[in-house]
Amino acid sequence: MPALDGIRVLELAGLAPGPFAGMMLADNGASVIRLDRVNPPHQPSPDVLIRNKASIQIDLKTTGGKDLFLRLVKQADVLIDPFRPGVLEKLGLDPTNVLLKLNPRLIVARLTGFRRDGKYAKMAGHDINYLAVSGVLSMLGPSPRLPPDGRPLPPTPPGNILGDFAAGGHMCVTGIVMALFARSRTGQGQVVHANMVDGANYLATMPRISTKIPGQWDRPRGENLSDGGCPYYNVYECKDDGKYMAVAGLEPQFFAELIKGLGLSDRPWMAKREDRAVWPAIADAFRRRFREKTRKEWEAVFDGSDACATPVFTHAELEAAGYEQRPGVTLTGTPALDSGPGSGWDVEVLGLGEGGEQALAQWMGWKKGRDYALANGGLQVKDASRL
């Protein structure tokens, strides 16, 4: 039985971090209903984080739609709110004064990009904006000084993995699970506040503190031990263009294995690897040597060794090789649901209303036409006296 079997989750439809949080819960056995709007707003990409979910459409601005929603809230364990601050309150659905009074065991997980207070609270934003004001974006990417004016490159956007999914969705799930654990002792639900600014800043605890430790992260971006500044913690192109090897020979014993595999053990400056003055020479030697063999040839050299040297695969390569997608963590007694072959590679979307009738039957014992009906694109209570 999955760890979250029996947990009922309402996920108000939103962008990436909210759906990711819902998918994490669903993957571990929770019953998740995505609540779609009658007229969904434009999204830059489809929601593909839909494993093990169902969908219903509700117009929360109508009396019948709101009534149906509140009846679901009574039976829910978790509500995922991905909206900007104040949206639920404007709908008359204040979490503390309405939802938790209706269902004291409910956990309302409110996930925003910016903090809920301060000058950015009401502003729109995306992953890169949240990383920017958290201080984390300033730490990412190389910073060579380029001609003609010698200005360094700006920080590098790392995709939306760090903000949306790690600092956003995953942090939100951590809060939900802690709230569920607390409820198991107190019987009371609560509001979980998560935002990507604080989430990213929290994830950066070690490197942030390390900026005050000499030799760790105390130099400008791209010049430190683990951000691309160190030549033996970096990525190098192989003989076959566009193929790379990643090296991380930080510890002396691993560094010794690395330079042994590269055939560079005899270089006099290898014994002074911690002297930054020799880093340019080491980097140049590594660049030249890795270009002498293909990635596959370097794999043959380093596979099975402690050189901390591995190939840089693309997702396309992993898919072609039959790489098996697995849960982020494995629980031996309460494992996650089996996602099935192809899951994690194939594009799948959840149609509006898909699986909704079955979910409402399981949650509430409702039947379409008897207990609820479709009106103007959204589900509404049909006969309140019968519910």
Side-chain angles (χ1 to χ4, degrees):
M1 179 183 295
L4 299 180
D5 184 69
I7 297 297
R8 294 174 171 179
V9 179
L10 295 173
E11 175 195 317
L12 292 166
L15 295 173
F20 184 64
M23 188 186 75
M24 286 186 67
L25 299 174
D27 280 347
N28 286 280
S31 175
V32 180
I33 298 178
R34 188 182 73 191
L35 304 181
D36 286 299
R37 303 185 206 186
V38 172
N39 296 303
H42 169 74
Q43 294 192 13
S45 59
D47 178 12
V48 297
L49 305 172
I50 51 85
R51 280 200 301 264
N52 304 307
K53 299 180 185 178
S55 163
I56 62 174
Q57 286 184 276
I58 294 182
D59 186 350
L60 292 176
K61 295 181 180 180
T62 66
T63 301
K66 184 182 293 186
D67 191 5
L68 188 144
F69 170 73
L70 291 174
R71 292 172 189 273
L72 291 176
V73 163
K74 286 183 179 180
Q75 302 300 320
D77 297 285
V78 178
L79 171 67
I80 298 175
D81 166 25
F83 300 147
R84 287 199 227 178
V87 171
L88 285 186
E89 286 81 355
K90 288 180 180 178
L91 291 168
L93 300 172
D94 181 278
T96 301
N97 297 321
V98 177
L99 302 183
L100 281 172
K101 286 186 177 179
L102 184 67
N103 179 0
R105 290 176 55 81
L106 181 68
I107 292 157
V108 183
R110 312 197 77 178
L111 175 57
T112 58
F114 295 117
R115 288 177 168 180
R116 302 187 74 85
D117 57 358
K119 67 177 182 178
Y120 303 112
K122 296 182 179 181
M123 291 171 54
H126 281 295
D127 186 289
I128 190 173
N129 305 117
Y130 313 136
L131 295 184
V133 302
S134 75
V136 173
L137 184 61
S138 69
M139 307 176 78
L140 305 177
S143 57
R145 295 186 176 273
L146 303 178
D149 56 3
R151 303 291 298 174
L153 287 171
T156 302
N160 66 329
I161 298 172
L162 180 55
D164 281 349
F165 301 111
H170 202 295
M171 277 289 184
C172 184
V173 169
T174 301
I176 290 170
V177 172
M178 288 191 291
L180 286 170
F181 180 74
R183 192 184 72 175
S184 71
R185 293 177 297 158
T186 67
Q188 296 297 309
Q190 59 184 298
V191 178
V192 173
H193 288 298
N195 71 79
M196 285 169 256
V197 173
D198 288 333
N201 198 277
Y202 191 84
L203 290 169
T205 298
M206 190 279 286
R208 182 179 66 253
I209 295 174
S210 294
T211 61
K212 300 180 179 180
I213 302 174
Q216 292 293 312
W217 213 306
D218 59 332
R219 302 244 175 169
R221 169 176 45 83
E223 298 180 18
N224 298 285
L225 198 63
S226 59
D227 68 352
C230 177
Y232 42 90
Y233 194 97
N234 218 317
V235 178
Y236 294 93
E237 189 172 32
C238 302
K239 185 177 181 180
D240 37 351
D241 296 346
K243 303 291 186 182
Y244 306 93
M245 290 289 291
V247 300
L250 293 177
E251 293 80 1
Q253 68 273 26
F254 301 152
F255 182 76
E257 287 292 313
L258 174 61
I259 60 173
K260 177 183 176 182
L262 289 170
L264 296 174
S265 301
D266 59 341
R267 303 298 173 93
W269 34 258
M270 289 300 179
K272 301 184 294 181
R273 71 188 186 103
E274 294 183 6
D275 183 354
R276 288 175 177 265
V278 304
W279 278 12
I282 295 176
D284 184 64
F286 280 21
R287 279 193 295 268
R288 292 173 182 272
R289 187 51 55 91
F290 272 110
R291 286 292 285 172
E292 293 177 3
K293 297 179 186 291
T294 65
R295 192 185 70 185
K296 187 172 183 180
E297 289 173 324
W298 284 121
E299 287 183 64
V301 171
F302 290 116
D303 279 359
S305 79
D306 279 349
C308 299
T310 54
V312 178
F313 291 128
T314 66
H315 283 130
E317 289 177 310
L318 291 173
E319 183 177 10
Y323 182 86
E324 179 188 2
Q325 296 288 347
R326 297 177 180 176
V329 294
T330 299
L331 303 178
T332 59
T334 55
L337 298 176
D338 183 3
S339 299
S343 183
W345 293 120
D346 299 333
V347 175
E348 300 178 16
V349 296
L350 184 65
L352 299 177
E354 183 177 344
E357 291 186 39
Q358 296 90 328
L360 292 177
Q362 292 171 359
W363 277 42
M364 313 293 289
W366 289 352
K367 184 177 180 180
K368 185 176 181 180
R370 182 190 67 190
D371 303 305
Y372 64 93
L374 182 65
N376 299 319
L379 299 186
Q380 297 188 11
V381 171
K382 186 175 181 181
D383 183 355
S385 66
R386 299 183 59 176
L387 299 181

